[in-house]
Amino acid sequence: MTSTVEPLLLGRSMGSDEGSLGFCSVMLVTTVLPGAPAHRILFDTGHAGRRRALIRELHRVGLTPGDIDAVVLSHSHWDHVQNVDLFPRARVLMHPDELVYAESPGPDDLGVPPWTSSLLSAARPHPVRPDEQVVAGVRVLHLPGHTAGSIGLVVEASDGLHVLTGDAVSTAFAMGARRCAAAHHDLRLSEESIDLVGATADVVWPGHDRAFRVADGRPAGYLVEPTSLVFRVRGRPASPDDLATSPRPAT
């Protein structure tokens, strides 16, 4: 059995005075069993503003949305779930507590608009439990705190255990500080979830950051160098003036 993790869309922690860009990590987990076809799992799907980029990245690795066997949604926030409808053939997996949470999110949680439950219902998600095996070498890890039913995946890779965390561990800084970016459900549980990831993982794939190694429960160095985004205005790379000024009114 061989399992690999490949980032399709990189997670980034970026915002502005008008809101977050919501660029979460979207990962492809591929497991090959002897004598069987590859089993492909997508972990989170990103938001609608990244649909073209997600399809492009699937094509880059020789896949289409129809080639994905399962979609695991780490939690119900808009930036992690909106593109789930691109994968009608896939089995969609969520923690049952998250489906309940999406109906009535925390009072400070604006990341779960009222339409979220309709989106998830249309995806016909299958409830999964802690430590449930998705496929050989890939199991579910319950990471509550950020939301009630936040989950990750533990992947048995050739270089150790890779843990995909969603926003339970949003960045390397969050793990190092033992502080969830936003504990909408329960602060104590969010800290315990960070500790669980630290005790489990050799490599962490966070929700809004690059993958990093773990030593003694703490970040121990990124696996890849940072990359830059290219912002465009009317089809050309944006200048500082473009980003600092409002668009001209239509004439």
Side-chain angles (χ1 to χ4, degrees), residues 8 19 34-35 85 96 99 102 114 138 157 159 178 227:
L8 295 182
D85 64 295
L99 296 173
V138 182
D159 59 344
R178 196 171 174 260
T227 58

Side-chain angles (χ1 to χ4, degrees), residues 125-138:
H126 296 258
V128 292
R129 297 290 178 181
D131 293 322
E132 182 172 329
Q133 186 172 268
V134 179
V135 67
V138 182

Side-chain angles (χ1 to χ4, degrees), residues 17-178:
D17 58 352
E18 294 189 11
S20 169
L21 295 183
F23 281 6
C24 79
S25 302
V26 179
M27 273 86 71
L28 175 68
V29 179
T30 304
T31 298
V32 179
L33 301 172
H39 188 90
R40 299 181 178 93
I41 302 167
L42 199 68
F43 186 80
D44 285 340
T45 63
H47 63 68
R50 302 181 91 187
R51 288 168 87 86
R52 290 181 180 176
L54 177 54
I55 293 171
R56 181 193 69 218
E57 289 304 299
L58 284 169
H59 288 168
R60 177 182 62 80
V61 297
L63 301 175
T64 70
D67 294 317
I68 301 301
D69 299 293
V71 171
V72 176
L73 296 177
S74 64
H75 62 297
S76 55
H77 281 167
W78 64 277
D79 53 323
H80 293 255
V81 303
Q82 281 188 353
N83 291 325
V84 68
D85 64 295
L86 290 176
F87 307 93
R89 194 188 74 81
R91 188 167 57 118
V92 178
L93 307 177
M94 292 187 75
H95 194 283
D97 289 352
E98 192 66 11
L99 296 173
V100 175
Y101 181 85
E103 295 282 351
S104 182
D108 68 331
D109 193 348
L110 300 180
V112 189
W115 45 257
T116 304
S117 58
S118 297
L119 173 71
L120 296 177
S121 178
R124 303 185 301 279
H126 296 258
V128 292
R129 297 290 178 181
D131 293 322
E132 182 172 329
Q133 186 172 268
V134 179
V135 67
V138 182
R139 63 179 174 88
V140 173
L141 194 65
H142 189 201
L143 300 172
H146 180 62
T147 63
S150 287
I151 58 174
L153 284 182
V154 180
V155 180
E156 298 175 16
S158 59
D159 59 344
L161 296 181
H162 289 225
V163 180
L164 288 56
T165 65
D167 288 356
V169 177
S170 58
T171 63
F173 175 83
M175 171 167 275
R178 196 171 174 260

